[in-house]
Structures are given as structure tokens and as C-alpha cells.
Amino acid sequence: MSANRTIILLSVGHGCVDVYQGSVAALVPFFVAERAYGYAAASGIVLAASLLSSVAQPLFGALTDRRSLPWLLPVSTLLGGLGVALSGLGGSYAMTLVFVAVSGIGVAAYHPESARVARIASGGSHASMGWFSLGGNVGFAAAPLMVTVAVAGDGLHRTPVLVLPALVGSVLCLPVLRTLTGRAASGGAPESAAATGDDRRSFVKLSLAVSCRSVAFMGLSTFVALYARQRTGGGTTAGTVALSVLYLGGAVGTVVGGGLAGRWERVAVVRGAYLVGVLAVAGVVLVPGPALYLCVALASAGLYVPFSLQVTLGQDYLPSRVGTASGITLGLAVSVGGVAAPLIGALADATSLRTALAPLILMPAIS
């Protein structure tokens, strides 16, 4: 199978997995409406998926650095889907947390190995890694619509239908696994780069930037649907549109980031994007009415232009630990922000949602 076809399959499979990261945030308004959860309780659902995922992804990355585990791709895809599919069935808050945590573990297991495989298939191409990252962002963008179609009419007991993308994604992994097996049998290229030239100091700085970026994006993705309803006076549709714009802006930002990296040095592109993100996140918090949607789109693009560039930077900084680098920059980039979500929710319960979102303006500035 050609390298381009492998990247396409991995990209689509990545989307089928990241649907479930987006689904957790997209389900929050339905949990609030149907089960009367407060902001803190609702954000705790995001925390359950994010906390285990953020802790587990570097561990899975270290594991894949020690040995190739391509079978993780279909297995972790199914695990991610099953957790979200069952989340609406548990009547208790505790069972809901358990199911979304299971989904988070599946997502955690997927990212390091898939990024390692994508790097092998692409030969280290920034553009190819950009397309691989785009697949995940498209999955994020599709999540609010998918959740709304599945759940809005008949309630949370319809969440089992959300397992369908996982079934598709796991099947798409199979040709990739056959290709990897064929390369190994024919004595193809090794699966990882030589262990030379680690720049740990730069990688630590990059990881801190990734973490701050994650707090900003996950804070917005958890609460922007509820906030848009307040600021625009709209109903559930207004919130779904805001969340979709947030995720679609990320998809556009990923493509733009790959193009900009072809013209300018990656770190300069990342810095410029984060500066745009500061102004755009401030607009989300402060600008009322329909203009909010434009600010959401710009904030998402500013936070996602660095996305695939940070993945390749991390892999270049730690060439001897590509799995670990991928687990942190690709996985932690999305999940660690969920750890801060309950703090934002608690502040919103005590003050207002606008006040609670204001500190997010600082996150891209620090990045």
C-alpha cells in the first residue's frame, strides 16, 4: 500500500477516534438539561475523560518506544467508542464518570502508536503529519453534530449509536496493520529513528506551551456551547453551532499551520498563532451577540495552527522517544486541559461563566 493511502487511512481513523474527545464536551449540555448537573458537576465529566487520558498517554508512548504495538490502533478505537456509547445509559453520576474514563483510556492508547506509525508512513513529512492531525480535528468538528443527531430527539439513552464511528475506524486500521506486517516480513525500513540528539530542555518548554494551549481550548470546548446560549440569547442550536465553529476552526487552523511551516520556521509560526489566539480568546469572553461566532473561529484557528507543528517539533526534539513525544504533544495537547475544567466550572458556579472564562485569555499568552 502506498504511503499516501496509508496516511489517508490513518487520518480518517484518527477522526473516528477524536470524535469521542469532542463527544464528551458535546454531551455536557445534554447532561445539564436532562440530569440538572451544575457547572462543576458537568465539567467533572470532562475531567474524568481527560485526567486518565492525560496521565496514560505518556505511559503508552513510553511503552510503544520499547516495542511496536500496532494492534493498539483498532483495540483502542473500539474502547474509546464503547465508553462514550455507554455514558448515557448509567443513571448514576459515578457510572457516567466510569464510562467516559474508559473512553479516555482508549483515546490515550491510540495517539502515541498512531503518531509513530504516521511518522513512519510519511517519512517525517510535515505536510503528511498535518493531514494526519487534520483527521483528528475533523473528528472533533463532527462530534457536536453527531451527538445532536443521536441524542437531541430521544435523550441520553440513545448514546449507544455513537459507537458506529469506532466500528468504522477499527476496520480502517486493518489495511494499515497488514502493510506494517508486510514491511517487517520483507525487512523494510525500521519503525523508529535512531536514538540520537535528544533536546530535553526544548521538549520541556514545548510541553508547557502545549499544556497551556490545552487549558484554553478545553475550557472553551467544555463551556462555549453554554456560553453562546447566554451571550446570543439562543437555544440548544446556538450552543451546537458555537461548538461546531470551534472545532471546524481547528481543522482550518491545522491546514493553515502546515502551509505556513513551509514558508517560515515552525517556532515562529507557533508564536505568531498564539498571539492571535490571545486577542481572539479575549473576543470570545468579551464580545456579545453573533460576533461571538467569529471570535470563536479565530480563537480555534489560533490555537490549532500550532497543533501538527508541535507534534513534529516534539518528535524532532526527542528522536529516540518518538512514542513518548507523540503521546505528550498529540495526546496531552487535547486532554490535559480537561483537568482544569472543574476549576473553571466551580468558579462559574460561584460567580458567572463569563468571569470563569476570563483567565483563559492568559493561556495562549503563556504558550
Side-chain angles (χ1 to χ4, degrees):
M1 185 167 57
S2 68
N4 286 340
R5 186 183 175 195
T6 301
I7 289 296
I8 291 172
L9 290 176
L10 285 169
S11 179
V12 177
H14 190 190
C16 291
V17 172
D18 277 6
V19 154
Y20 298 110
Q21 297 203 82
S23 293
V24 174
L27 283 167
V28 164
F30 296 98
F31 283 116
V32 170
E34 192 167 319
R35 299 182 180 175
Y37 292 159
Y39 289 130
S43 58
I45 296 172
V46 179
L47 173 64
S50 301
L51 183 60
L52 279 178
S53 186
S54 60
V55 171
Q57 286 190 77
L59 298 179
F60 279 111
L63 183 62
T64 59
D65 283 332
R66 295 174 66 90
R67 59 185 303 175
S68 174
L69 299 172
W71 56 266
L72 272 178
L73 300 187
V75 172
S76 59
T77 300
L78 289 173
L79 192 62
L82 285 173
V84 166
L86 296 173
S87 66
L89 300 184
S92 71
Y93 184 68
M95 288 305 298
T96 300
L97 295 182
V98 169
F99 287 135
V100 297
V102 167
S103 179
I105 292 174
V107 170
Y110 176 85
H111 280 106
E113 181 68 4
S114 65
R116 187 188 66 82
V117 171
R119 182 178 175 90
I120 295 167
S122 67
S125 166
H126 301 319
S128 294
M129 289 300 293
W131 286 109
F132 170 71
S133 299
L134 175 64
N137 298 337
V138 171
F140 253 100
L145 177 60
M146 184 185 71
V147 167
T148 299
V149 170
V151 175
D154 297 318
L156 291 170
H157 72 275
R158 290 289 304 278
T159 55
V161 302
L162 297 176
V163 78
L164 292 176
L167 298 177
V168 173
S170 62
V171 171
L172 291 177
C173 291
L174 300 181
V176 176
L177 299 188
R178 286 197 295 269
T179 299
L180 292 175
T181 301
R183 286 184 181 180
S186 62
E191 294 186 351
S192 60
T196 57
D198 285 357
D199 184 352
R200 296 182 181 180
R201 180 181 179 186
S202 293
F203 184 77
V204 168
K205 291 167 64 178
L206 176 68
S207 299
L208 293 174
V210 166
S211 298
C212 291
R213 174 251 176 229
S214 178
V215 170
F217 186 80
M218 286 300 291
L220 290 177
S221 66
T222 302
F223 295 107
V224 74
L226 297 171
Y227 191 60
R229 293 167 66 176
Q230 291 181 7
R231 300 289 281 175
T232 64
T236 302
T237 301
T240 300
V241 170
L243 197 57
S244 295
V245 168
L246 183 74
Y247 292 160
L248 285 171
V252 172
T254 301
V255 174
V256 171
L260 293 175
R263 295 190 174 190
W264 292 286
E265 199 272 331
R266 282 175 292 172
V267 174
V269 173
V270 170
R271 286 173 174 162
Y274 280 138
L275 289 177
V276 172
V278 173
L279 298 176
V281 173
V284 172
V285 175
L286 302 174
V287 174
L292 170 75
Y293 295 111
L294 176 60
C295 295
V296 169
L298 290 175
S300 181
L303 293 172
Y304 261 96
V305 162
F307 193 82
S308 65
L309 307 184
Q310 290 173 155
V311 176
T312 57
L313 278 169
Q315 292 174 336
D316 290 345
Y317 289 150
L318 290 185
S320 71
R321 295 179 176 84
V322 169
T324 300
S326 301
I328 292 174
T329 56
L330 184 61
L332 198 67
V334 177
S335 60
V336 73
V339 177
L343 298 178
I344 300 172
L347 182 58
D349 284 333
T351 56
S352 69
L353 190 51
R354 183 181 181 184
T355 299
L357 293 178
L360 298 183
I361 300 170
L362 296 175
M363 294 298 103
I366 296 172
S367 291

PDB file of all heavy atoms in Angstrom, residues 18 49 60 106 169 206 209 237 252 274 296 313 337:
ATOM      1  N   ASP A  18     -11.008  10.724  17.502  1.00  0.00           N
ATOM      2  CA  ASP A  18     -11.163  12.037  18.130  1.00  0.00           C
ATOM      3  C   ASP A  18     -12.604  12.523  18.159  1.00  0.00           C
ATOM      4  O   ASP A  18     -12.920  13.505  18.841  1.00  0.00           O
ATOM      5  CB  ASP A  18     -10.259  13.053  17.438  1.00  0.00           C
ATOM      6  CG  ASP A  18      -8.837  13.005  17.967  1.00  0.00           C
ATOM      7  OD1 ASP A  18      -8.544  12.104  18.780  1.00  0.00           O
ATOM      8  OD2 ASP A  18      -8.009  13.849  17.573  1.00  0.00           O
ATOM      9  N   ALA A  49     -12.735  11.986  31.613  1.00  0.00           N
ATOM     10  CA  ALA A  49     -12.153  11.529  30.353  1.00  0.00           C
ATOM     11  C   ALA A  49     -10.735  12.043  30.192  1.00  0.00           C
ATOM     12  O   ALA A  49      -9.865  11.342  29.660  1.00  0.00           O
ATOM     13  CB  ALA A  49     -13.020  11.996  29.183  1.00  0.00           C
ATOM     14  N   PHE A  60       1.661   5.163  27.600  1.00  0.00           N
ATOM     15  CA  PHE A  60       1.528   4.385  26.373  1.00  0.00           C
ATOM     16  C   PHE A  60       2.623   4.761  25.379  1.00  0.00           C
ATOM     17  O   PHE A  60       3.126   3.912  24.637  1.00  0.00           O
ATOM     18  CB  PHE A  60       0.150   4.603  25.747  1.00  0.00           C
ATOM     19  CG  PHE A  60      -0.941   3.774  26.362  1.00  0.00           C
ATOM     20  CD1 PHE A  60      -1.943   4.373  27.119  1.00  0.00           C
ATOM     21  CD2 PHE A  60      -0.968   2.403  26.183  1.00  0.00           C
ATOM     22  CE1 PHE A  60      -2.961   3.610  27.683  1.00  0.00           C
ATOM     23  CE2 PHE A  60      -1.974   1.628  26.746  1.00  0.00           C
ATOM     24  CZ  PHE A  60      -2.970   2.236  27.498  1.00  0.00           C
ATOM     25  N   GLY A 106      -9.057   4.636  26.102  1.00  0.00           N
ATOM     26  CA  GLY A 106      -8.961   4.220  24.708  1.00  0.00           C
ATOM     27  C   GLY A 106      -8.295   5.262  23.843  1.00  0.00           C
ATOM     28  O   GLY A 106      -7.408   4.947  23.026  1.00  0.00           O
ATOM     29  N   GLY A 169     -13.681   3.047  12.284  1.00  0.00           N
ATOM     30  CA  GLY A 169     -12.256   3.328  12.473  1.00  0.00           C
ATOM     31  C   GLY A 169     -11.443   2.080  12.712  1.00  0.00           C
ATOM     32  O   GLY A 169     -10.316   1.950  12.209  1.00  0.00           O
ATOM     33  N   LEU A 206       8.349  23.079  25.208  1.00  0.00           N
ATOM     34  CA  LEU A 206       7.261  22.810  24.274  1.00  0.00           C
ATOM     35  C   LEU A 206       6.078  22.178  25.002  1.00  0.00           C
ATOM     36  O   LEU A 206       4.915  22.541  24.755  1.00  0.00           O
ATOM     37  CB  LEU A 206       7.749  21.886  23.159  1.00  0.00           C
ATOM     38  CG  LEU A 206       6.694  21.444  22.143  1.00  0.00           C
ATOM     39  CD1 LEU A 206       6.235  22.623  21.303  1.00  0.00           C
ATOM     40  CD2 LEU A 206       7.252  20.340  21.244  1.00  0.00           C
ATOM     41  N   ALA A 209       4.092  24.748  26.838  1.00  0.00           N
ATOM     42  CA  ALA A 209       3.275  25.521  25.899  1.00  0.00           C
ATOM     43  C   ALA A 209       2.051  24.728  25.468  1.00  0.00           C
ATOM     44  O   ALA A 209       0.935  25.253  25.386  1.00  0.00           O
ATOM     45  CB  ALA A 209       4.110  25.912  24.677  1.00  0.00           C
ATOM     46  N   THR A 237     -29.519  25.005  19.734  1.00  0.00           N
ATOM     47  CA  THR A 237     -28.894  25.129  18.408  1.00  0.00           C
ATOM     48  C   THR A 237     -27.754  26.135  18.432  1.00  0.00           C
ATOM     49  O   THR A 237     -26.703  25.918  17.816  1.00  0.00           O
ATOM     50  CB  THR A 237     -29.936  25.541  17.360  1.00  0.00           C
ATOM     51  OG1 THR A 237     -30.965  24.558  17.318  1.00  0.00           O
ATOM     52  CG2 THR A 237     -29.300  25.668  15.982  1.00  0.00           C
ATOM     53  N   VAL A 252      -9.373  24.048  10.102  1.00  0.00           N
ATOM     54  CA  VAL A 252      -8.790  25.031   9.186  1.00  0.00           C
ATOM     55  C   VAL A 252      -7.411  25.461   9.678  1.00  0.00           C
ATOM     56  O   VAL A 252      -6.453  25.578   8.896  1.00  0.00           O
ATOM     57  CB  VAL A 252      -9.718  26.259   9.063  1.00  0.00           C
ATOM     58  CG1 VAL A 252      -9.036  27.376   8.271  1.00  0.00           C
ATOM     59  CG2 VAL A 252     -11.031  25.866   8.391  1.00  0.00           C
ATOM     60  N   TYR A 274      -0.176  31.908  18.524  1.00  0.00           N
ATOM     61  CA  TYR A 274      -0.613  32.088  19.901  1.00  0.00           C
ATOM     62  C   TYR A 274      -0.915  33.560  20.203  1.00  0.00           C
ATOM     63  O   TYR A 274      -1.815  33.860  21.004  1.00  0.00           O
ATOM     64  CB  TYR A 274       0.438  31.547  20.867  1.00  0.00           C
ATOM     65  CG  TYR A 274       0.396  30.045  21.019  1.00  0.00           C
ATOM     66  CD1 TYR A 274       1.562  29.285  21.068  1.00  0.00           C
ATOM     67  CD2 TYR A 274      -0.818  29.379  21.120  1.00  0.00           C
ATOM     68  CE1 TYR A 274       1.505  27.905  21.211  1.00  0.00           C
ATOM     69  CE2 TYR A 274      -0.875  28.003  21.262  1.00  0.00           C
ATOM     70  CZ  TYR A 274       0.294  27.267  21.311  1.00  0.00           C
ATOM     71  OH  TYR A 274       0.236  25.907  21.449  1.00  0.00           O
ATOM     72  N   VAL A 296     -14.908  32.963  18.093  1.00  0.00           N
ATOM     73  CA  VAL A 296     -14.700  31.535  18.363  1.00  0.00           C
ATOM     74  C   VAL A 296     -13.882  30.908  17.245  1.00  0.00           C
ATOM     75  O   VAL A 296     -12.939  30.132  17.492  1.00  0.00           O
ATOM     76  CB  VAL A 296     -16.050  30.808  18.522  1.00  0.00           C
ATOM     77  CG1 VAL A 296     -15.851  29.290  18.534  1.00  0.00           C
ATOM     78  CG2 VAL A 296     -16.743  31.246  19.805  1.00  0.00           C
ATOM     79  N   LEU A 313       7.675  19.003  16.006  1.00  0.00           N
ATOM     80  CA  LEU A 313       8.737  19.583  16.833  1.00  0.00           C
ATOM     81  C   LEU A 313       9.089  18.647  17.982  1.00  0.00           C
ATOM     82  O   LEU A 313      10.272  18.407  18.264  1.00  0.00           O
ATOM     83  CB  LEU A 313       8.300  20.942  17.387  1.00  0.00           C
ATOM     84  CG  LEU A 313       8.436  22.161  16.483  1.00  0.00           C
ATOM     85  CD1 LEU A 313       7.712  23.357  17.086  1.00  0.00           C
ATOM     86  CD2 LEU A 313       9.903  22.494  16.232  1.00  0.00           C
ATOM     87  N   GLY A 337      -6.033  19.766  29.381  1.00  0.00           N
ATOM     88  CA  GLY A 337      -6.870  20.909  29.717  1.00  0.00           C
ATOM     89  C   GLY A 337      -8.133  20.523  30.448  1.00  0.00           C
ATOM     90  O   GLY A 337      -8.710  21.337  31.182  1.00  0.00           O
TER      91      GLY A 337
END
